[in-house]
Amino acid sequence: MGLETVSLGTTGTKVSEIAFGTWRFGRENDEGTVEIGEDRAHELLDAYAEAGGNFIDTADMYGGGESEKYIGNWLAERDREDFVIASKIYWPTRTDDPNGRGLSRKHLRRQMDLILDRLGTDYVDLLYIHRWDDDTPADEFMRTLDGFVRDGKVNYLGTSTLDPNAWKVVKANEMEYEPFRLAQPRYNLVNREIEPNYIPMCDDYDIGIIPWSPLGGGFLTGKYSRNEEPADGTRGATDQQFRDSYLTEENFDVLEVVEDVADELGTTPAKVSLAWLLKHDAVTAPIIGARTVEQLAENLAATEVSLSDDQFERLTNAKSA
Ligand SMILES: NC(=O)c1ccc[n+]([C@@H]2O[C@H](COP(=O)([O-])OP(=O)(O)OC[C@H]3O[C@@H](n4cnc5c(N)ncnc54)[C@H](OP(=O)(O)O)[C@@H]3O)[C@@H](O)[C@H]2O)c1
């Protein structure tokens, strides 16, 4: 069964119900090895496209630009029009350069050119600000982003800002420029901070939500246990920040609820966790990450899982925002 198509927020563009994230393409982990090299990246993109996926998420700084290059090389053999490509700008791209970061006109314009060059395309479907830049006036970056849309380099704007900045998104969307039509916050069964403010803001401003880390970086697959060291090769083994933020007693309590529901349905915690987002009214399309083709196949099969209303409620109530 292939992926279904949904509207990209309230825009006219259609995307597959699950997006594919390429953050780990070309990325060196704490041990200095590249997590996903170009051959594996192309296998993953092939498998995603074969399943009916068309919505690819990248950023200018993923793998220091390698992610976009891998995607560009892959797209060169295909019809670019078959895909909806999203990228992002904000994080530092040039060390020792005070202008090598953020949302200044200078950095935005340089990065926009580099993004199109690496992807080998004339436009991206969606460009996010990766974070809010308090050092640049909102009028400067909104006007510059608006120019990208007018010039045809970008179709839609998105914001990948964090929950406390919801009011800033409102401020930007009240300006006389192209508004943010999509938001990419972190959202999954253990990271619920967007529920009180960010989701209502998006609802009120017709902003579609594209959650990142829908599996909590792999935590919600059930591959980690309370009292055991993470297995070699996992994000838990190679990423201290991941261990600190995810491997907590409170999160393991949530995981028990996920595992109960998975047992009831004869399926896996990963599929249940994604099925919860797929059933969620506020969500447009979660962005899954996968390091292997097997992981990708499991995650895409989440579309076959149907949660009852009771199971959805129990999962929702396993943790509060
Ligand atoms: N806007 C932002 O600031 C932001 C931030 C983060 C991510 N993102 C986007 O969101 C995408 C997804 O983020 P994410 O990678 O954190 O997503 P995720 O789906 O929560 O985690 C993906 C990781 O979990 C593990 N995993 C996935 N499926 C599995 C399975 N079926 N069985 C066992 N392990 C599995 C793999 O890690 P291991 O096998 O290595 O353990 C995989 O790399 C990124 O690629 C990026 O496009 C955006």
Side-chain angles (χ1 to χ4, degrees):
M1 197 166 67
L3 293 173
E4 286 184 12
T5 294
V6 297
S7 293
L8 178 61
T10 54
T11 76
T13 295
K14 307 294 178 203
V15 290
S16 41
E17 60 191 317
I18 295 181
F20 182 49
T22 64
W23 173 27
R24 317 296 275 201
F25 285 11
R27 178 182 192 273
E28 279 191 19
N29 63 28
D30 291 354
E31 292 158 354
T33 49
V34 171
E35 190 164 314
I36 300 176
E38 184 155 14
D39 288 347
R40 169 75 62 78
H42 288 184
E43 279 171 31
L44 288 162
L45 289 166
D46 281 343
Y48 175 66
E50 271 162 31
N54 77 344
F55 190 11
I56 299 171
D57 186 83
T58 185
D60 62 347
M61 47 73 78
Y62 288 173
E66 291 297 289
S67 170
E68 288 173 339
K69 274 192 214 160
Y70 294 178
I71 295 166
N73 291 341
W74 181 82
L75 274 178
E77 309 288 317
R78 285 164 186 77
D79 183 348
R80 187 258 175 268
E81 285 308 306
D82 287 342
F83 298 94
V84 176
I85 314 275
S87 193
K88 321 184 190 77
I89 304 175
Y90 168 78
W91 292 109
T93 52
R94 282 156 55 101
T95 48
D96 302 329
D97 176 358
N99 288 310
R101 61 171 296 284
L103 303 179
S104 68
R105 182 161 296 156
K106 186 173 174 67
H107 191 237
L108 282 175
R109 286 189 171 160
R110 179 168 57 218
Q111 291 311 109
M112 190 72 241
D113 289 346
L114 286 171
I115 287 170
L116 298 182
D117 188 49
R118 288 190 290 246
L119 288 169
T121 182
D122 295 335
Y123 74 99
V124 289
D125 298 271
L126 174 55
L127 181 74
Y128 295 96
I129 58 165
H130 214 152
R131 292 290 182 273
W132 193 268
D133 180 1
D134 285 312
D135 288 340
T136 302
D139 187 77
E140 176 175 332
F141 62 76
M142 291 308 291
R143 189 187 289 266
T144 309
L145 294 169
D146 183 72
F148 292 161
V149 176
R150 285 170 193 265
D151 292 347
K153 293 179 179 177
V154 170
N155 280 352
Y156 305 114
L157 299 178
T159 173
S160 176
T161 48
L162 305 180
D163 179 59
N165 292 316
W167 68 271
K168 297 178 186 173
V169 177
V170 169
K171 183 173 101 168
N173 274 17
E174 293 289 348
M175 293 177 172
E176 295 295 309
Y177 302 120
E178 177 72 19
F180 294 120
R181 295 181 187 274
L182 283 309
Q184 184 179 138
R186 181 174 66 173
Y187 193 42
N188 58 53
L189 277 164
V190 291
N191 295 121
R192 308 283 289 278
E193 59 277 5
I194 67 169
E195 289 178 350
N197 294 310
Y198 207 91
I199 290 180
M201 180 275 289
C202 288
D203 184 37
D204 203 57
Y205 278 81
D206 289 333
I207 297 173
I209 295 181
I210 316 278
W212 55 267
S213 288
L215 292 174
F219 177 79
L220 287 162
T221 65
K223 69 202 280 183
Y224 300 101
S225 306
R226 278 184 206 264
N227 301 314
E228 284 173 31
E229 286 297 306
D232 286 349
T234 61
R235 195 175 293 185
T238 57
D239 189 330
Q240 181 65 44
Q241 201 185 348
F242 169 87
R243 281 198 294 281
D244 293 344
S245 59
Y246 280 106
L247 305 186
T248 66
E249 289 301 314
E250 193 189 14
N251 284 357
F252 279 112
D253 290 345
V254 175
L255 186 60
E256 282 180 12
V257 180
V258 179
E259 287 172 334
D260 286 348
V261 173
D263 285 347
E264 287 163 22
L265 292 168
T267 188
T268 63
K271 289 194 226 175
V272 165
S273 301
L274 291 170
W276 179 75
L277 285 170
L278 290 167
K279 192 177 166 76
H280 200 306
D281 284 343
V283 170
T284 290
I287 314 169
I288 55 167
R291 191 165 49 85
T292 66
V293 172
E294 291 71 30
Q295 290 177 353
L296 182 70
E298 180 185 353
N299 300 346
L300 293 175
T303 57
E304 294 160 17
V305 172
S306 179
L307 298 175
S308 68
D309 290 343
D310 171 66
Q311 287 164 334
F312 182 83
E313 285 305 313
R314 277 158 54 210
L315 292 164
T316 303
N317 294 333
K319 185 172 183 175
S320 55

